[in-house]
Amino acid sequence: GQNIDQPTEMTATEGAIVQINCTYQTSGFNGLFWYQQHAGEAPTFLSYNVLDGLEEKGRFSSFLSRSKGYSYLLLKELQMKDSASYLCAVRDRDSNYQLIWGAGTKLIIKP
Amino acid sequence: DGGITQSPKYLFRKEGQNVTLSCEQNLNHDAMYWYRQDPGQGLRLIYYSQIVNDFQKGDIAEGYSVSREKKESFPLTVTSAQKNPTAFYLCASSMGDRASRTDTQYFGPGTRLTVL
């Protein structure tokens, strides 16, 4: 079956680094997206991976290993504004290229 | 400014009433989507449309209906048949070039529907 797993909640300290993991099981993997969602707001796009390796974009990086069905989002130099939920979504060829979403990881940043 | 708008931001309705949620985009995107978000769950796809005058059911289409008469607009009607309509509803759009890196979904601000 299709499944996306993320930790429910994580806590980190301002200025530190945090890694949010996402594991997936899909029959027709065709790319993985990370979104940020502040409470009560819309998700905003952070990154996209379709090939193995690391994609860096400022303080945020995303990694993919297709053989392991695994991705992580790495946030560096954490700021209070990074307190949000981080959503992992996999595009699935066998679902007409629609996105399958994880439940999200709520990240709490402490001073 | 290009973007996706949803209105209203908050909506209250009595049980048994149909309600229509608006979604408009001026990004010239071909594809549009409706999702429902409940606490502790991932986004669930209700309906999507790849092109004008065509749409497909998502995973939880029962109790909902849509239309796509214009490229810019994709309204969602929550009918009285939907058993648990209280939720946060998100509309998204994308270029529609499936399987392409450029087919990233961009979201509107959402409508929080409460059925009393």
Side-chain angles (χ1 to χ4, degrees):
Chain A
Q2 300 166 330
N3 195 47
I4 312 285
D5 285 317
Q6 307 178 233
T8 302
E9 187 174 297
M10 299 181 69
T11 302
T13 304
E14 189 176 16
I17 299 172
V18 71
Q19 177 175 310
I20 301 174
N21 295 327
C22 172
T23 58
Y24 64 87
Q25 292 177 314
T26 58
S27 52
F29 176 84
N30 191 253
L32 187 144
F33 295 81
W34 283 97
Y35 283 80
Q36 180 190 60
Q37 185 179 26
H38 285 100
E41 297 182 9
T44 55
F45 170 70
L46 289 177
S47 68
Y48 171 75
N49 295 72
V50 67
L51 300 176
D52 291 349
L54 189 68
E55 294 265 352
E56 296 187 79
K57 194 183 289 186
R59 292 189 300 115
F60 293 6
S61 303
S62 56
F63 171 84
L64 175 67
S65 169
R66 288 172 296 170
S67 63
K68 295 182 180 178
Y70 167 70
S71 173
Y72 67 73
L73 181 69
L74 191 70
L75 290 71
K76 302 176 185 177
E77 301 170 12
L78 286 170
Q79 302 175 10
M80 297 304 291
K81 68 178 182 179
D82 297 330
S83 292
S85 288
Y86 292 85
L87 313 181
C88 173
V90 171
R91 186 162 56 199
D92 183 25
R93 276 193 306 272
D94 297 340
S95 298
N96 202 23
Y97 293 90
Q98 296 310 308
L99 297 181
I100 302 166
W101 295 82
T105 298
K106 183 178 180 180
L107 178 63
I108 300 168
I109 309 296
K110 296 186 174 180
Chain B
D1 284 340
I4 305 173
T5 57
Q6 291 185 243
S7 60
K9 189 167 180 65
Y10 298 95
L11 189 57
F12 297 87
R13 278 294 182 270
K14 291 183 179 179
E15 195 172 337
Q17 290 182 333
N18 292 354
V19 60
T20 297
L21 281 57
S22 167
C23 178
E24 304 277 333
Q25 55 97 2
N26 60 4
L27 299 169
N28 199 32
H29 283 170
D30 285 320
M32 297 186 75
Y33 313 81
W34 274 106
Y35 291 96
R36 170 181 173 141
Q37 187 174 36
D38 296 283
Q41 298 190 40
L43 300 185
R44 291 186 289 169
L45 183 64
I46 304 173
Y47 270 97
Y48 64 101
S49 169
Q50 297 289 138
I51 197 167
V52 176
N53 292 321
D54 189 38
F55 49 83
Q56 287 77 40
K57 292 181 179 180
D59 299 322
I60 56 165
E62 185 176 351
Y64 300 97
S65 66
V66 293
S67 63
R68 186 85 186 277
E69 297 176 1
K70 298 188 299 181
K71 187 175 184 177
E72 302 80 17
S73 179
F74 191 41
L76 173 75
T77 297
V78 184
T79 75
S80 57
Q82 167 51 230
K83 295 179 181 178
N84 297 297
T86 294
F88 188 44
Y89 289 88
L90 288 160
C91 178
S93 70
S94 72
M95 292 182 66
D97 181 10
R98 293 186 299 176
S100 164
R101 171 180 284 266
T102 59
D103 198 32
T104 299
Q105 294 186 20
Y106 297 94
F107 287 82
T111 293
R112 189 166 298 279
L113 173 65
T114 302
V115 176
L116 306 171

